[in-house]
Coordinates of all heavy atoms in Angstrom, one line a residue:
R154 N 0.8 -1.2 -0.1 CA 0.0 0.0 0.0 C 0.9 1.3 -0.1 O 1.8 1.3 0.8 CB -0.8 0.0 1.2 CG -1.8 1.1 1.3 CD -2.7 0.9 2.5 NE -3.4 2.2 2.7 CZ -3.3 2.9 3.8 NH1 -2.7 2.5 4.8 NH2 -3.9 4.1 3.9
L155 N 0.6 2.2 -0.9 CA 1.4 3.3 -1.1 C 0.6 4.6 -0.3 O -0.5 4.9 -0.7 CB 1.6 3.8 -2.5 CG 2.3 5.1 -2.8 CD1 3.7 4.9 -2.3 CD2 2.2 5.3 -4.3
D156 N 1.4 5.2 0.7 CA 0.9 6.3 1.4 C 1.5 7.5 0.8 O 2.6 7.8 0.9 CB 1.1 6.1 2.9 CG 0.7 7.2 3.7 OD1 0.1 8.3 3.2 OD2 0.8 7.3 4.9
L157 N 0.7 8.2 -0.1 CA 1.3 9.4 -0.8 C 1.6 10.4 0.1 O 2.6 11.0 -0.1 CB 0.2 9.9 -1.7 CG -0.2 9.0 -3.0 CD1 -1.4 9.6 -3.7 CD2 1.0 8.7 -3.7
A158 N 0.9 10.7 1.3 CA 1.2 11.7 2.2 C 2.7 11.5 2.8 O 3.4 12.3 3.0 CB 0.3 11.8 3.2
A159 N 2.9 10.2 3.1 CA 4.2 9.9 3.8 C 5.3 9.8 2.7 O 6.4 10.2 3.0 CB 4.1 8.5 4.4
T160 N 5.0 9.3 1.5 CA 6.0 9.3 0.4 C 6.3 10.6 -0.2 O 7.5 10.8 -0.5 CB 5.6 8.3 -0.6 OG1 5.2 7.1 -0.2 CG2 6.6 8.0 -1.7
Y161 N 5.3 11.5 -0.4 CA 5.5 12.7 -1.1 C 5.0 13.9 -0.2 O 3.9 14.6 -0.7 CB 5.0 12.9 -2.4 CG 5.3 11.7 -3.3 CD1 4.6 10.5 -3.5 CD2 6.7 11.8 -4.0 CE1 5.0 9.5 -4.4 CE2 7.0 10.8 -4.7 CZ 6.3 9.6 -5.1 OH 6.6 8.6 -5.8
P162 N 5.4 14.0 1.0 CA 4.8 15.0 2.0 C 4.6 16.5 1.4 O 3.6 17.1 1.6 CB 5.6 14.9 3.2 CG 6.9 14.4 2.8 CD 6.6 13.5 1.7
D163 N 5.7 16.9 0.8 CA 5.8 18.3 0.3 C 4.8 18.5 -0.9 O 4.0 19.4 -0.8 CB 7.2 18.8 -0.2 CG 8.2 18.9 1.0 OD1 7.6 19.0 2.2 OD2 9.3 18.7 0.8
E164 N 4.8 17.6 -1.8 CA 3.8 17.6 -2.9 C 2.4 17.6 -2.4 O 1.6 18.2 -2.9 CB 4.2 16.5 -3.9 CG 5.5 16.9 -4.6 CD 6.7 16.2 -3.8 OE1 6.5 15.8 -2.8 OE2 7.9 16.3 -4.5
Y165 N 2.2 16.6 -1.5 CA 0.9 16.3 -1.1 C 0.3 17.6 -0.3 O -0.8 18.0 -0.6 CB 0.9 15.2 -0.1 CG -0.5 14.6 0.2 CD1 -1.0 13.6 -0.6 CD2 -1.1 14.9 1.3 CE1 -2.1 13.0 -0.3 CE2 -2.4 14.2 1.6 CZ -2.9 13.4 0.8 OH -4.1 12.8 1.1
R166 N 1.2 18.3 0.5 CA 0.8 19.5 1.2 C 0.4 20.6 0.3 O -0.5 21.4 0.5 CB 2.0 19.9 2.3 CG 1.5 21.2 3.1 CD 2.8 21.6 3.8 NE 3.6 22.2 2.8 CZ 4.9 21.9 2.5 NH1 5.2 20.7 3.2 NH2 5.6 22.4 1.8
R167 N 1.3 20.7 -0.7 CA 1.0 21.9 -1.7 C -0.3 21.6 -2.5 O -1.1 22.5 -2.8 CB 2.1 21.9 -2.8 CG 3.3 22.6 -2.2 CD 4.3 23.0 -3.3 NE 4.9 21.9 -4.1 CZ 6.0 21.2 -3.8 NH1 6.7 21.5 -2.7 NH2 6.4 20.1 -4.6
L168 N -0.7 20.3 -2.7 CA -2.0 20.0 -3.3 C -3.0 20.4 -2.4 O -4.2 21.0 -2.9 CB -2.0 18.5 -3.7 CG -3.2 18.1 -4.4 CD1 -3.6 18.7 -5.5 CD2 -3.2 16.6 -4.6
L169 N -3.0 20.1 -1.1 CA -3.9 20.3 -0.2 C -4.2 21.8 0.0 O -5.3 22.4 0.1 CB -3.6 19.7 1.2 CG -3.8 18.2 1.3 CD1 -3.1 17.8 2.5 CD2 -5.1 17.6 1.2
E170 N -3.0 22.6 0.0 CA -3.1 24.0 0.0 C -3.7 24.5 -1.0 O -4.5 25.5 -1.0 CB -1.7 24.5 0.2 CG -1.1 24.3 1.5 CD 0.4 24.7 1.7 OE1 1.1 25.0 0.6 OE2 1.0 24.7 2.8
K171 N -3.5 24.1 -2.3 CA -4.2 24.6 -3.4 C -5.8 24.5 -3.3 O -6.5 25.2 -3.6 CB -3.6 24.0 -4.7 CG -4.1 24.4 -6.0 CD -3.5 24.0 -7.2 CE -3.9 24.7 -8.4 NZ -2.9 24.4 -9.6
V172 N -6.1 23.2 -2.9 CA -7.5 23.0 -2.7 C -8.1 23.9 -1.6 O -9.2 24.6 -1.9 CB -7.8 21.6 -2.3 CG1 -9.2 21.3 -1.9 CG2 -7.4 20.6 -3.3
A173 N -7.4 24.1 -0.6 CA -8.0 25.0 0.6 C -8.0 26.4 0.1 O -8.9 27.2 0.3 CB -7.0 24.9 1.7
R174 N -7.0 26.8 -0.9 CA -6.8 28.2 -1.3 C -8.2 28.6 -2.3 O -8.7 29.6 -2.3 CB -5.6 28.5 -2.1 CG -5.4 29.9 -2.5 CD -4.0 30.1 -3.1 NE -3.0 29.9 -2.2 CZ -2.0 28.9 -2.4 NH1 -2.1 28.1 -3.5 NH2 -1.0 28.7 -1.6
G175 N -8.4 27.4 -3.0 CA -9.6 27.6 -4.0 C -11.0 27.6 -3.3 O -12.0 27.8 -3.8
G176 N -11.0 27.3 -2.0 CA -12.3 27.4 -1.2 C -13.1 26.2 -1.0 O -14.1 26.1 -0.6
I177 N -12.4 25.1 -1.3 CA -12.8 23.7 -1.0 C -14.2 23.5 -1.8 O -15.3 23.5 -1.2 CB -12.9 23.3 0.4 CG1 -11.7 23.5 1.1 CG2 -13.3 21.9 0.6 CD1 -11.7 23.3 2.6
V178 N -14.1 23.3 -3.0 CA -15.1 23.1 -3.9 C -15.1 21.7 -4.7 O -14.0 21.4 -5.0 CB -15.3 24.2 -4.9 CG1 -16.5 24.0 -5.9 CG2 -15.4 25.6 -4.5
V179 N -16.1 21.0 -4.5 CA -16.2 19.6 -5.2 C -17.1 19.9 -6.4 O -18.2 20.3 -6.3 CB -16.7 18.6 -4.2 CG1 -16.9 17.3 -5.0 CG2 -15.9 18.5 -3.1
T180 N -16.5 19.4 -7.6 CA -17.3 19.7 -8.9 C -17.4 18.2 -9.5 O -16.6 17.3 -9.2 CB -16.5 20.5 -9.8 OG1 -15.1 20.0 -10.1 CG2 -16.4 21.9 -9.3
S181 N -18.4 18.1 -10.3 CA -18.7 16.9 -11.0 C -19.2 17.1 -12.3 O -20.1 18.2 -12.4 CB -19.6 16.0 -10.0 OG -20.0 14.8 -10.8
I182 N -19.1 16.4 -13.3 CA -19.8 16.5 -14.6 C -21.3 16.2 -14.4 O -22.1 16.8 -15.1 CB -19.1 15.5 -15.6 CG1 -17.7 16.0 -15.9 CG2 -19.9 15.5 -16.9 CD1 -16.9 15.0 -16.8
K183 N -21.6 15.2 -13.6 CA -22.9 14.8 -13.3 C -23.5 15.4 -12.2 O -22.6 15.9 -11.2 CB -23.0 13.3 -13.0 CG -22.8 12.4 -14.2 CD -22.7 10.9 -14.0 CE -22.2 10.2 -15.1 NZ -22.3 8.7 -14.8
P184 N -24.8 15.6 -12.0 CA -25.3 16.2 -10.7 C -24.8 15.5 -9.5 O -24.7 14.1 -9.6 CB -26.8 16.1 -10.9 CG -27.0 16.0 -12.3 CD -25.8 15.3 -12.9
L185 N -24.4 16.2 -8.5 CA -23.9 15.6 -7.2 C -25.0 14.8 -6.5 O -25.9 15.5 -6.0 CB -23.2 16.4 -6.4 CG -22.3 16.0 -5.4 CD1 -21.2 15.1 -5.9 CD2 -21.7 17.2 -4.6
R186 N -25.0 13.6 -6.4 CA -26.2 12.8 -5.8 C -25.9 12.6 -4.3 O -26.7 12.2 -3.7 CB -26.3 11.4 -6.4 CG -26.8 11.5 -7.9 CD -27.2 10.2 -8.4 NE -27.8 10.4 -9.7 CZ -27.6 9.5 -10.7 NH1 -27.0 8.4 -10.5 NH2 -28.1 9.7 -11.9
A187 N -24.7 13.0 -3.9 CA -24.4 12.9 -2.5 C -23.8 14.1 -1.9 O -22.6 14.3 -2.0 CB -23.4 11.7 -2.3
P188 N -24.6 15.2 -1.7 CA -24.0 16.5 -1.3 C -23.2 16.4 -0.1 O -22.4 17.3 0.2 CB -25.3 17.2 -1.0 CG -26.5 16.4 -1.1 CD -26.0 15.0 -1.7
W189 N -23.3 15.3 0.7 CA -22.4 15.3 1.9 C -21.0 15.1 1.5 O -20.1 15.3 2.3 CB -22.9 14.0 2.8 CG -23.0 12.8 2.0 CD1 -24.0 12.2 1.4 CD2 -22.0 11.8 1.7 NE1 -23.8 11.1 0.8 CE2 -22.4 10.7 1.0 CE3 -20.6 11.8 2.1 CZ2 -21.7 9.6 0.6 CZ3 -19.8 10.6 1.7 CH2 -20.4 9.7 0.9
L190 N -20.8 14.6 0.2 CA -19.3 14.5 -0.2 C -18.5 15.8 -0.1 O -17.3 15.8 0.2 CB -19.3 14.0 -1.7 CG -19.6 12.5 -1.8 CD1 -19.5 12.2 -3.4 CD2 -18.4 11.8 -1.2
V191 N -19.2 17.0 -0.4 CA -18.5 18.2 -0.2 C -18.1 18.4 1.1 O -16.8 18.8 1.5 CB -19.5 19.3 -0.7 CG1 -18.8 20.7 -0.4 CG2 -19.9 19.2 -2.1
E192 N -18.8 18.2 2.2 CA -18.4 18.3 3.5 C -17.4 17.3 3.8 O -16.3 17.6 4.6 CB -19.5 18.2 4.5 CG -19.2 18.6 5.9 CD -20.4 18.8 6.8 OE1 -21.5 19.2 6.3 OE2 -20.3 18.6 8.0
E193 N -17.4 16.1 3.4 CA -16.5 15.1 3.6 C -15.2 15.4 3.0 O -14.1 15.3 3.6 CB -17.0 13.8 3.1 CG -16.2 12.4 3.3 CD -16.2 12.0 4.8 OE1 -17.2 12.4 5.5 OE2 -15.4 11.5 5.2
A194 N -15.1 15.9 1.9 CA -14.0 16.3 1.2 C -13.2 17.5 2.0 O -12.1 17.6 2.1 CB -14.2 16.7 -0.3
G195 N -14.1 18.4 2.4 CA -13.6 19.7 3.2 C -12.8 19.2 4.5 O -11.8 19.6 4.8
R196 N -13.5 18.3 5.2 CA -13.1 17.8 6.4 C -11.7 17.0 6.1 O -10.7 17.1 6.9 CB -13.9 16.9 7.1 CG -15.0 17.7 7.9 CD -15.8 16.8 9.0 NE -16.3 15.6 8.4 CZ -17.5 15.4 7.9 NH1 -18.4 16.4 7.9 NH2 -17.9 14.2 7.3
F197 N -11.7 16.2 5.0 CA -10.4 15.5 4.7 C -9.3 16.4 4.4 O -8.2 16.2 5.0 CB -10.7 14.6 3.5 CG -9.5 13.9 3.0 CD1 -9.0 12.7 3.4 CD2 -8.7 14.5 1.9 CE1 -7.9 12.1 3.0 CE2 -7.6 13.8 1.4 CZ -7.2 12.5 2.0
V198 N -9.5 17.4 3.6 CA -8.5 18.5 3.2 C -8.0 19.2 4.5 O -6.7 19.2 4.7 CB -9.0 19.4 2.3 CG1 -8.0 20.6 2.1 CG2 -9.1 18.8 0.9
L199 N -8.8 19.6 5.3 CA -8.5 20.5 6.5 C -7.8 19.5 7.6 O -6.9 19.9 8.1 CB -9.6 21.1 7.2 CG -10.2 22.3 6.2 CD1 -11.6 22.8 6.8 CD2 -9.2 23.3 6.0
G200 N -8.3 18.2 7.6 CA -7.7 17.3 8.6 C -6.2 17.0 8.2 O -5.3 16.9 9.1
K201 N -6.1 16.7 6.9 CA -4.7 16.4 6.4 C -3.7 17.6 6.5 O -2.6 17.6 6.9 CB -4.8 16.1 5.0 CG -5.3 14.7 4.8 CD -4.4 13.6 5.2 CE -4.9 12.3 4.9 NZ -4.0 11.2 5.4
L202 N -4.3 18.9 6.3 CA -3.4 20.0 6.4 C -3.1 20.2 7.9 O -2.0 20.8 8.3 CB -4.1 21.3 5.8 CG -3.9 21.6 4.5 CD1 -4.8 22.8 4.0 CD2 -2.4 21.9 4.2
A203 N -4.1 19.9 8.7 CA -3.6 20.0 10.2 C -2.5 19.1 10.6 O -1.6 19.5 11.4 CB -4.9 19.6 11.1
R204 N -2.3 18.0 10.0 CA -1.3 17.1 10.2 C 0.0 17.4 9.5 O 1.1 17.1 9.9 CB -1.8 15.5 9.9 CG -0.7 14.5 10.3 CD -1.5 13.1 10.2 NE -1.8 12.8 8.7 CZ -1.0 12.1 8.1 NH1 0.1 11.6 8.5 NH2 -1.4 11.7 6.8
L205 N -0.1 17.9 8.2 CA 1.0 18.0 7.2 C 1.4 19.6 6.9 O 2.5 19.8 6.5 CB 0.7 17.4 5.9 CG 0.4 15.8 5.9 CD1 0.0 15.4 4.5 CD2 1.8 15.2 6.2
G206 N 0.5 20.4 7.5 CA 0.7 21.7 7.0 C 1.9 22.4 7.8 O 2.2 22.0 8.9
G207 N 2.4 23.6 7.3 CA 3.3 24.4 8.0 C 2.9 25.9 8.1 O 1.7 26.1 7.8
P208 N 3.8 26.7 8.4 CA 3.4 28.2 8.5 C 2.7 28.7 7.4 O 1.8 29.6 7.4 CB 4.8 28.8 8.7 CG 5.6 27.7 9.3 CD 5.2 26.5 8.7
A209 N 3.2 28.4 6.1 CA 2.4 28.9 4.8 C 0.9 28.4 4.8 O 0.1 29.1 4.5 CB 3.2 28.5 3.7
S210 N 0.7 27.2 5.3 CA -0.6 26.7 5.3 C -1.5 27.4 6.2 O -2.7 27.7 5.9 CB -0.6 25.1 5.9 OG 0.3 24.4 5.0
V211 N -1.0 27.9 7.4 CA -1.8 28.8 8.3 C -2.2 30.0 7.6 O -3.5 30.4 7.7 CB -1.0 29.1 9.6 CG1 -1.7 30.1 10.4 CG2 -0.6 27.9 10.3
E212 N -1.4 30.6 6.8 CA -1.9 31.9 6.0 C -3.0 31.6 5.0 O -3.8 32.3 4.7 CB -0.7 32.5 5.4 CG 0.3 33.0 6.4 CD -0.4 33.9 7.5 OE1 -1.2 34.7 7.3 OE2 0.0 33.6 8.8
I213 N -2.9 30.3 4.4 CA -3.8 29.9 3.4 C -5.2 29.6 4.1 O -6.2 29.9 3.6 CB -3.3 28.6 2.6 CG1 -2.1 29.1 1.8 CG2 -4.5 28.0 1.9 CD1 -1.4 28.0 1.1
L214 N -5.1 29.1 5.3 CA -6.3 28.7 6.1 C -7.0 29.9 6.7 O -8.2 29.8 7.0 CB -6.0 27.7 7.2 CG -5.5 26.3 6.6 CD1 -5.0 25.4 7.8 CD2 -6.7 25.6 6.0
R215 N -6.3 30.9 7.0 CA -6.9 32.1 7.8 C -8.2 32.6 7.1 O -9.3 33.0 7.8 CB -6.0 33.2 7.9 CG -5.0 33.0 9.0 CD -4.1 34.2 9.4 NE -2.9 33.9 10.2 CZ -2.9 33.5 11.3 NH1 -4.1 33.4 12.1 NH2 -1.8 33.2 11.9
P216 N -8.3 32.7 5.7 CA -9.5 33.2 5.2 C -10.6 32.3 5.2 O -11.9 32.7 5.1 CB -9.2 33.3 3.7 CG -7.7 33.4 3.6 CD -7.2 32.7 4.7
L217 N -10.5 31.0 5.6 CA -11.5 30.1 5.8 C -12.2 30.2 7.2 O -13.3 29.7 7.6 CB -11.2 28.7 5.6 CG -10.7 28.3 4.2 CD1 -10.2 26.9 4.3 CD2 -11.9 28.4 3.4
V218 N -11.5 31.0 8.2 CA -12.0 31.0 9.6 C -13.4 31.6 9.7 O -14.2 31.0 10.4 CB -11.0 31.8 10.4 CG1 -11.4 32.1 11.8 CG2 -9.7 31.0 10.6
P219 N -13.7 32.6 9.0 CA -15.1 33.2 9.2 C -16.2 32.5 8.4 O -17.3 32.7 8.5 CB -15.0 34.6 8.7 CG -13.9 34.6 7.7 CD -12.9 33.7 8.2
D220 N -15.8 31.5 7.5 CA -16.7 30.7 6.8 C -17.6 29.8 7.7 O -17.0 29.1 8.5 CB -16.0 29.9 5.8 CG -16.9 29.2 4.8 OD1 -17.7 28.1 5.3 OD2 -17.0 29.4 3.6
P221 N -18.9 29.9 7.7 CA -19.7 29.1 8.6 C -19.6 27.6 8.3 O -19.8 26.8 9.3 CB -21.2 29.5 8.2 CG -21.0 30.4 6.9 CD -19.6 30.7 6.7
Q222 N -19.2 27.2 7.1 CA -19.0 25.8 6.9 C -17.8 25.2 7.4 O -17.7 24.1 7.8 CB -19.3 25.4 5.3 CG -19.4 23.9 5.2 CD -19.8 23.6 3.7 OE1 -19.8 24.5 2.9 NE2 -20.2 22.5 3.4
W223 N -16.6 25.9 7.0 CA -15.3 25.5 7.2 C -14.6 26.1 8.5 O -13.4 25.7 8.7 CB -14.4 25.7 5.9 CG -15.1 25.2 4.9 CD1 -15.6 25.8 3.7 CD2 -15.5 23.7 4.5 NE1 -16.1 25.0 2.7 CE2 -16.1 23.7 3.3 CE3 -15.4 22.5 5.2 CZ2 -16.5 22.6 2.7 CZ3 -15.8 21.4 4.7 CH2 -16.4 21.3 3.5
G224 N -15.2 27.1 9.1 CA -14.4 27.9 10.0 C -13.9 27.2 11.2 O -12.7 27.2 11.5
V225 N -14.7 26.3 11.9 CA -14.3 25.5 13.0 C -13.1 24.6 12.6 O -12.2 24.5 13.3 CB -15.4 24.8 13.6 CG1 -15.0 23.8 14.7 CG2 -16.5 25.7 14.1
A226 N -13.4 23.9 11.5 CA -12.2 23.1 11.0 C -10.9 23.8 10.8 O -9.8 23.2 11.1 CB -12.6 22.2 9.8
A227 N -11.1 24.9 10.2 CA -9.8 25.7 9.7 C -9.1 26.1 11.1 O -7.9 26.1 11.2 CB -10.3 27.0 9.0
V228 N -9.9 26.6 12.1 CA -9.3 26.9 13.4 C -8.6 25.8 14.0 O -7.5 25.9 14.4 CB -10.4 27.6 14.3 CG1 -9.8 27.7 15.7 CG2 -10.8 28.8 13.8
D229 N -9.3 24.6 14.0 CA -8.7 23.5 14.5 C -7.3 23.0 13.7 O -6.3 22.8 14.4 CB -9.5 22.3 14.5 CG -10.7 22.3 15.4 OD1 -10.6 23.2 16.3 OD2 -11.7 21.6 15.2
A230 N -7.3 23.2 12.5 CA -6.1 23.0 11.6 C -5.1 24.0 12.0 O -3.9 23.6 12.2 CB -6.4 22.9 10.1
I231 N -5.4 25.2 12.1 CA -4.4 26.2 12.4 C -3.8 26.0 13.7 O -2.5 26.1 13.8 CB -5.1 27.6 12.4 CG1 -5.5 28.0 10.9 CG2 -4.2 28.6 13.0 CD1 -6.3 29.3 10.8
R232 N -4.5 25.6 14.7 CA -4.1 25.3 16.1 C -3.1 24.2 16.1 O -2.0 24.2 16.7 CB -5.2 25.2 17.1 CG -5.9 26.5 17.4 CD -7.1 26.2 18.4 NE -7.6 27.5 18.8 CZ -8.9 27.6 19.2 NH1 -9.6 26.6 19.3 NH2 -9.3 28.8 19.4
A233 N -3.6 23.2 15.3 CA -2.6 22.0 15.3 C -1.2 22.3 14.6 O -0.3 21.8 15.1 CB -3.4 20.8 14.5
I234 N -1.3 23.0 13.6 CA -0.1 23.5 12.9 C 0.8 24.3 13.7 O 2.0 24.0 13.8 CB -0.4 24.1 11.6 CG1 -1.1 23.2 10.5 CG2 0.8 24.8 11.0 CD1 -1.7 23.9 9.3
Q235 N 0.2 25.3 14.3 CA 0.9 26.1 15.2 C 1.5 25.5 16.5 O 2.7 25.8 17.0 CB 0.1 27.3 15.7 CG -0.3 28.2 14.6 CD -1.3 29.4 15.0 OE1 -2.0 29.2 15.7 NE2 -1.1 30.5 14.4
S236 N 0.9 24.4 17.0 CA 1.4 23.6 18.0 C 2.6 22.8 17.7 O 3.5 22.4 18.5 CB 0.3 22.8 18.7 OG 0.0 21.7 17.9
R237 N 2.6 22.4 16.4 CA 3.8 21.6 15.8 C 5.0 22.5 15.4 O 6.1 22.0 15.3 CB 3.2 20.8 14.5 CG 2.8 19.5 15.0 CD 2.8 18.6 13.7 NE 2.8 19.3 12.4 CZ 1.9 19.8 11.7 NH1 0.6 19.8 12.2 NH2 2.1 20.5 10.6
C238 N 4.8 23.6 14.8 CA 5.8 24.5 14.3 C 6.3 25.5 15.1 O 5.8 26.0 16.0 CB 5.2 25.1 13.0 SG 4.7 23.9 11.7

């Protein structure tokens, strides 16, 4: 089993940061039949950034703090990053 986050942590972190910077949007060609996927994807991205992110990630996450959907998870991720760095 290949763990991309462990094998390529810098590249993985940059990808997560790009998703977070874009506002965590899930798109699909077909109508999304499972709207909960958006929330699941957002929690995944923010949780991984909490574990892998660095000081630059904190600055990317700050604009998400006032967001009603992602704010709490963004604050948790920021705190986790700051406690590690």
Side-chain angles (χ1 to χ4, degrees):
R154 179 174 170 242
L155 176 64
D156 181 352
L157 293 175
T160 306
Y161 305 103
D163 294 333
E164 293 83 354
Y165 198 84
R166 185 189 67 252
R167 284 194 300 269
L168 178 62
L169 293 168
E170 288 172 346
K171 187 171 186 166
V172 171
R174 191 179 293 120
I177 306 177
V178 177
V179 175
T180 60
S181 175
I182 294 171
K183 297 179 182 178
L185 196 58
R186 291 193 177 144
W189 54 268
L190 281 176
V191 174
E192 190 166 330
E193 186 74 20
R196 279 198 309 266
F197 175 83
V198 168
L199 295 173
K201 288 289 187 181
L202 271 176
R204 191 168 61 99
L205 300 172
S210 305
V211 170
E212 296 312 311
I213 291 168
L214 291 169
R215 284 192 198 284
L217 294 174
V218 169
D220 187 290
Q222 186 173 15
W223 308 117
V225 172
V228 168
D229 291 344
I231 290 168
R232 287 181 179 153
I234 293 165
Q235 289 175 332
S236 72
R237 271 195 347 272
C238 296

